[in-house]
Amino acid sequence: MSGTLFTNVRILDGSGGHPVPGSVLVQGNRIKAVGRGNASIPTAGATVIDGAGATLMPGMCEAHTHFSWNDAATLAGIQTMPLEEHVLWCAKVAKKYLDAGFTSCVGAACAKPRLDVVIRNAIDAGQIPGPRYLAASQEITVPGALGDETLPHLPFPEFSFGVNVNGAEDMRRAVRMFLKYGVDSIKLNLSGDNFTPQSPADTAWMTDAEVAAAMEEVRMRGKRGTAHARSAASIKQALRHGIDVIYHASYTDDETLDMLEAARDRVFVAPGIAILYAMLHEAEPWGIPHEKAVQMGYQHEWDHAVESLKAMHKRGVRILFGGDYGFAFTPHCQNARDLEFFVKYLGFTPGEAIRCATQYGGQIMMKPDELGLIKEGYLADLLLVDGDPMANLAILREPKRMLAVMKDGVFAKQPEIAAERLWGRAA
Ligand SMILES: [Zn+2]
């Protein structure tokens, strides 16, 4: 028998419960056996890693990822990066996510048409290291809405952050282009955003005919629709048209909450609330002091988002973590901060917060029965973490606490061979 045996670990299985001491055997790319307490696992031939009391948990899934956001403070700052540099940037960021413990990421839009697809393909082909990845389209938008960055005197689509469409047939053309490129999901900007004052967060922009045309094409190819939807009207529109992944969902009324609850076995909500907090309290170095952020509507949105998400959580709607990291105010790989916010502001228990990144992660990655838990037969995406995330979620965003990262049964980050006592080959 070969494989890897983690002994002397605290198993945090990702289902929301507390860790238990035990050992876990990986063979090939799957978890072969989970031994709780003193239950013995046959060790012959396996490489033994003595976890020395560290936590073994499932790899995390980031539900709202933008590899191509390049830590700029503006949409134009992301969009105007030349293509060649942009590809290299994305490859670098993909590796960074994997090293930080994100073994799965759900692409939520990229800044140029094929960036996500190319990176996903390169990861899958083993050309570059990176998480399991679902590739998104660029944001699709309409004139005047979030992502339309064209200027009256420079009406060139290359200057626009999102792909601008006008009418149902134009939507169909854009969606077909991205499907041809091989995306896993089509991203529609259904609401505005306080980042773009001409189209604030509590507004809606697309016609039902445009959304219906997009979703007809998406369904025909067996793909997934995702939506930037901050306003109640846009959330309802997403639900009416069968969009599965709703980003933000800040503003709700009773009807919206009822609709979300009715669809809770199908939809995922990934709010990305850290960016609201960052805009309000941390964006001054980039010219957005607190008063300006309030003026832009961020306090109003934060207050509503907190209430909306608390209500969704009570109604059993799956809320996932991550979102909009890759701006100057929300740098990449601080994503696990969302989990702390879920506990601090939304009333989650630490176990519930972790489940958002693990079990729900497997579900949003479309592998509900084989990814996101430490369980026999599941894919071996595992993290060895120095400390107890249940006691302190902040350790999940400290690189040095991530002792080892395994994806698909292979170490992406090897545990350091610091001492013989950590390694041995069992007889
Ligand atoms: Zn986003």
Side-chain angles (χ1 to χ4, degrees):
M1 187 180 69
S2 60
T4 305
L5 179 70
F6 296 91
T7 61
N8 196 13
V9 289
R10 292 155 50 84
I11 303 169
L12 187 58
D13 73 2
S15 66
H18 279 274
V20 293
S23 48
V24 172
L25 176 66
V26 172
Q27 275 188 337
N29 67 340
R30 302 230 170 222
I31 296 166
K32 175 76 175 169
V34 181
R36 291 188 163 75
N38 291 327
S40 76
I41 290 181
T43 61
T47 300
V48 176
I49 294 169
D50 182 342
T55 300
L56 190 72
M57 62 177 281
M60 296 185 285
C61 172
E62 219 286 355
H64 178 167
T65 313
H66 301 293
F67 286 157
S68 56
W69 282 199
N70 60 4
D71 290 347
T74 62
L75 298 183
I78 298 172
Q79 183 56 29
T80 51
M81 184 179 235
L83 178 60
E84 296 82 353
E85 281 85 347
H86 223 152
V87 176
L88 292 172
W89 169 269
C90 292
K92 186 178 87 171
V93 172
K95 178 178 189 309
K96 211 172 154 186
Y97 271 74
L98 185 57
D99 289 343
F102 301 101
T103 50
S104 295
C105 290
V106 180
C110 52
K112 295 185 176 71
R114 293 178 63 246
L115 281 176
D116 256 22
V117 165
V118 165
I119 292 297
R120 179 204 60 198
N121 291 351
I123 293 170
D124 288 350
Q127 288 177 311
I128 60 169
R132 299 175 193 275
Y133 194 59
L134 296 179
S137 68
Q138 243 175 310
E139 295 182 358
I140 300 181
T141 190
V142 294
L146 169 68
D148 172 14
E149 295 277 303
T150 55
L151 296 165
H153 63 300
L154 294 169
F156 308 112
E158 292 79 6
F159 285 149
S160 192
F161 189 68
V163 168
N164 235 329
V165 303
N166 217 341
E169 285 314 299
D170 202 25
M171 171 67 87
R172 202 178 288 281
R173 176 195 56 76
V175 171
R176 282 177 167 171
M177 174 186 78
F178 286 117
L179 292 170
K180 167 183 159 178
Y181 293 159
V183 299
D184 297 302
S185 67
I186 293 288
K187 168 83 174 284
L188 304 179
N189 284 357
L190 299 186
S191 82
D193 195 294
N194 291 327
F195 202 55
T196 49
Q198 82 282 1
S199 55
D202 56 357
T203 55
W205 287 81
M206 281 187 190
T207 64
D208 276 324
E210 286 166 334
V211 182
M215 288 307 292
E216 188 185 4
E217 296 296 330
V218 164
R219 279 195 203 92
M220 209 185 318
R221 299 270 75 79
K223 302 299 179 185
R224 178 190 257 173
T226 70
H228 171 97
R230 294 187 182 275
S231 64
S234 65
I235 299 166
K236 285 186 262 196
Q237 188 177 44
L239 290 166
R240 277 200 310 277
H241 289 279
I243 287 173
D244 286 341
V245 180
I246 297 176
Y247 290 127
H248 308 302
S250 302
Y251 292 94
T252 56
D253 49 24
D254 286 343
E255 189 191 11
T256 315
L257 290 170
D258 288 345
M259 286 173 73
L260 280 164
E261 187 177 348
R264 69 183 182 186
D265 294 334
R266 171 176 72 78
V267 299
F268 300 92
V269 172
I273 56 167
I275 194 164
L276 300 179
Y277 184 92
M279 294 304 286
L280 274 169
H281 304 291
E282 297 165 353
E284 188 158 4
W286 298 278
I288 307 174
H290 179 69
E291 310 74 58
K292 187 176 175 192
V294 171
Q295 230 174 52
M296 290 167 82
Y298 280 106
Q299 186 69 53
H300 190 258
E301 184 176 4
W302 170 267
D303 294 343
H304 281 264
V306 165
E307 290 313 311
S308 293
L309 292 162
K310 277 186 188 166
M312 281 178 232
H313 183 49
K314 279 204 188 90
R315 288 168 179 249
V317 176
R318 288 172 295 183
I319 297 171
L320 281 79
F321 100 103
D324 284 334
Y325 287 85
F327 286 108
F329 6 84
T330 49
H332 283 298
C333 293
Q334 286 296 302
N335 314 45
R337 194 184 193 195
D338 275 44
L339 300 178
E340 296 156 57
F341 281 15
F342 283 6
V343 172
K344 194 167 174 190
Y345 299 111
L346 306 181
F348 284 55
T349 65
E352 286 171 340
I354 286 170
R355 186 176 57 184
C356 296
T358 52
Q359 185 171 23
Y360 290 173
Q363 294 169 3
I364 198 172
M365 289 299 291
M366 304 178 182
K367 296 182 186 298
D369 301 317
E370 57 174 350
L371 187 65
L373 292 176
I374 295 187
K375 193 173 170 183
E376 280 94 352
Y378 271 52
L379 291 162
D381 287 12
L382 298 168
L383 310 178
L384 191 63
V385 182
D386 176 16
D388 180 5
M390 292 282 272
N392 180 11
L393 287 162
I395 65 177
L396 292 175
R397 53 190 173 101
E398 283 181 46
K400 66 176 189 307
R401 299 290 202 120
M402 211 51 74
L403 302 176
V405 178
M406 177 178 268
K407 178 193 148 197
D408 212 34
V410 177
F411 280 114
K413 182 175 181 182
Q414 291 270 0
E416 271 186 42
I417 310 172
E420 261 91 90
R421 76 177 175 80
L422 284 177
W423 283 79
R425 190 167 276 274

